[in-house]
């Protein structure tokens, strides 16, 4: 079969790889679409726990093509979206309910062959059947949505919060959409990319700007969310949290990124700084939300490109062109 393979740091090619075979409790998914994410760029850089070479692609959906000998809940022909998270269920973090911090954490498309391929293997337990009205290709958006749901689980957002989001890429826009559902009083979005800010306006943002200074809010914001992973944005955002507020590190930064905090201010103003790591008990809820139409795929997906153009799709994404870019497999 054909698959995109990250062969080394900075190197990716579409090539032939062996056809996958399911284990006893696995299925083989005929991949319909696979989304490109910032994590894929980190993997290309040799970060985020990869062992190269690897077939990337952790946001994908498709049709069950083969089932393992002990799989009874899925059949060939079922349309599914796939939770890529793989946990050991044995370590202390798993036993404590923090599976996303598993000591043996793995993920399809990160440390195991992923969905940027014609076929991918996934545990049957990680597959969520799609309702008839959900288009299979669109369902690749469920995985990033599940990360956003997890982010709001961490925030425990209160009604009428004032929210500031750094970044209006896919994840920033999803945090905008969910912020509206949680009853935020206002949601402001910052980005240097005017085209992406136009999408935020289309989705009903309160204000957009290139910098927080343009918004003239000396009181700060109750919730500040970084969806960029950019050290400069993170540093600025930490200084924009109102007393009693929360800063969420949601974007994936480079390993080398560093920022400075003010311990006295954190103590004196009771500021919370927290993070949100991938998916935790949120994938099925994201699938349910997606089925209700909480996101319009035609707004979020800007490009649908063939698998053969995977390297070009990565370049477009890395250069800030478009919103969610999918490869059709």
């Amino acid at each position: 079969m054909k698959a995109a393979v990250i062969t080394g740091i900075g190197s990716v090619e579409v090539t032939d790889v062996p056809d996958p075979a399911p284990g006893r409790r696995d299925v083989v998914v005929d991949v319909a679409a696979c989304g490109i994410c910032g994590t894929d760029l980190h993997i290309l850089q040799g970060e985020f726990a990869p062992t190269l070479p690897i077939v990337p692609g952790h946001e994908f959906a498709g049709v069950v093509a083969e089932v393992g000998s002990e799989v009874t809940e899925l059949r060939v022909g079922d349309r599914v979206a796939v939770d890529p998270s793989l946990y050991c269920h044995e370590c202390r973090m798993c036993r404590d309910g923090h599976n996303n911090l598993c000591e043996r954490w793995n993920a399809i498309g990160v440390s195991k062959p992923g969905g940027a391929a014609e076929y991918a293997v996934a545990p049957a337990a990680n597959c969520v059947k799609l309702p008839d009205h959900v288009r299979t290709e669109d369902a690749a958006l469920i995985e990033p949505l599940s990360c956003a749901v997890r982010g709001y689980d961490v925030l425990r957002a209160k009604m009428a919060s004032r929210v500031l989001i750094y970044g209006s890429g896919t994840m920033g826009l999803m945090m905008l959409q969910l912020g509206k559902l949680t009853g935020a009083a206002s949601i402001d979005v910052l980005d240097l990319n005017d085209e992406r800010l136009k999408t935020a306006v289309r989705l009903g943002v309160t204000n957009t700007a290139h910098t927080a200074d343009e918004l003239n809010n000396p009181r700060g914001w109750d919730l500040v969310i970084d969806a960029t992973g950019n050290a400069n944005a993170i540093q600025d955002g930490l200084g924009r949290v109102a007393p009693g507020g929360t800063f969420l590190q949601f974007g994936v930064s480079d390993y080398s990124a560093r920022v400075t905090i003010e311990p006295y201010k954190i103590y004196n103003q009771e500021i919370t700084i927290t993070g949100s790591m991938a998916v935790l008990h949120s994938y099925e809820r994201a699938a349910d939300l997606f089925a209700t139409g909480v996101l319009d795929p035609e707004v979020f997906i800007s490009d649908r490109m063939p698998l053969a153009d995977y390297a070009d799709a990565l370049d477009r994404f890395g250069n800030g062109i478009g919103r969610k870019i999918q490869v059709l497999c």
Side-chain angles (χ1 to χ4, degrees):
M1 70 169 185
K2 293 289 186 182
V5 181
I6 295 177
T7 56
I9 295 176
S11 179
V12 60
E13 61 181 83
V14 176
T15 187
D16 290 311
V17 300
D19 290 342
R24 292 178 299 175
R25 288 287 301 152
D26 296 332
V27 301
V28 174
V29 177
D30 183 350
V31 179
C34 175
I36 289 180
C37 166
T39 299
D40 297 315
L41 295 180
H42 285 279
I43 294 171
L44 188 64
Q45 297 164 0
E47 296 185 343
F48 211 78
T51 299
L52 304 179
I54 190 70
V55 177
H58 58 280
E59 305 175 3
F60 67 100
V63 179
V64 174
E66 187 178 353
V67 299
S69 59
E70 295 182 5
V71 175
T72 58
E73 62 270 46
L74 293 171
R75 297 180 180 180
V76 172
D78 283 345
R79 298 181 311 115
V80 296
V82 179
D83 178 352
S85 305
L86 302 173
Y87 312 130
C88 75
H89 301 287
E90 296 176 351
C91 70
R92 176 168 181 171
M93 299 312 298
C94 283
R95 297 198 311 273
D96 199 34
H98 293 287
N99 302 66
N100 61 328
L101 305 181
C102 173
E103 295 169 10
R104 304 180 185 94
W105 183 90
N106 281 282
I108 302 168
V110 178
S111 55
K112 303 292 182 181
E118 293 177 307
Y119 297 93
V121 172
N126 289 49
C127 297
V128 175
K129 290 183 183 180
L130 301 175
D132 291 342
H133 70 278
V134 172
R135 185 180 175 192
T136 310
E137 293 89 342
D138 294 343
L141 286 170
I142 291 174
E143 195 281 337
L145 180 60
S146 71
C147 294
V149 171
R150 168 60 183 161
Y152 272 95
D153 286 346
V154 170
L155 282 171
R156 298 182 177 89
K158 296 185 293 186
M159 294 287 289
S161 293
R162 297 163 297 159
V163 181
L164 176 64
I165 299 173
Y166 285 74
S168 57
T170 300
M171 300 314 305
L173 295 175
M174 287 187 174
M175 296 301 274
L176 163 62
Q177 291 292 83
L178 294 187
K180 291 163 62 179
L181 288 181
T182 65
S186 65
I187 305 178
D188 301 326
V189 173
L190 305 178
D191 205 305
L192 299 178
N193 188 319
D194 287 325
E195 287 302 312
R196 288 184 170 179
L197 287 178
K198 289 178 183 178
T199 306
V201 171
R202 184 176 176 183
L203 294 176
V205 70
T206 307
N207 297 293
T208 62
H210 294 148
T211 69
D213 288 337
E214 296 173 39
L215 299 176
N216 191 27
N217 180 12
R219 295 175 57 199
W221 286 262
D222 303 310
L223 301 177
V224 177
I225 301 168
D226 173 70
T228 69
N230 179 277
N232 291 331
I234 296 165
Q235 187 69 72
D236 188 71
L238 287 167
R240 305 292 179 172
V241 184
T246 298
F247 178 89
L248 173 67
Q249 186 53 51
F250 186 70
V252 181
S253 64
D254 292 340
Y255 286 179
S256 61
R258 297 290 184 273
V259 298
T260 301
I261 62 171
E262 300 177 54
Y264 181 80
K265 181 179 178 181
I266 294 168
Y267 147 76
N268 183 255
Q269 297 186 8
E270 293 194 344
I271 290 172
T272 299
I273 301 174
T274 189
S276 173
M277 161 59 184
V279 180
L280 180 64
H281 311 312
S282 55
Y283 196 89
E284 286 76 8
R285 286 182 291 146
D288 288 343
L289 274 176
F290 191 79
T292 69
V294 67
L295 303 180
D296 182 350
E298 298 307 315
V299 173
F300 276 80
I301 300 170
S302 61
D303 299 84
R304 302 178 193 264
M305 302 173 66
L307 177 61
D309 293 343
Y310 186 85
D312 291 339
L314 269 182
D315 284 342
R316 286 179 64 83
F317 182 83
N319 288 319
I321 300 172
R323 296 176 299 281
K324 176 55 68 179
I325 297 175
Q326 288 187 342
V327 291
L328 305 180
C329 304

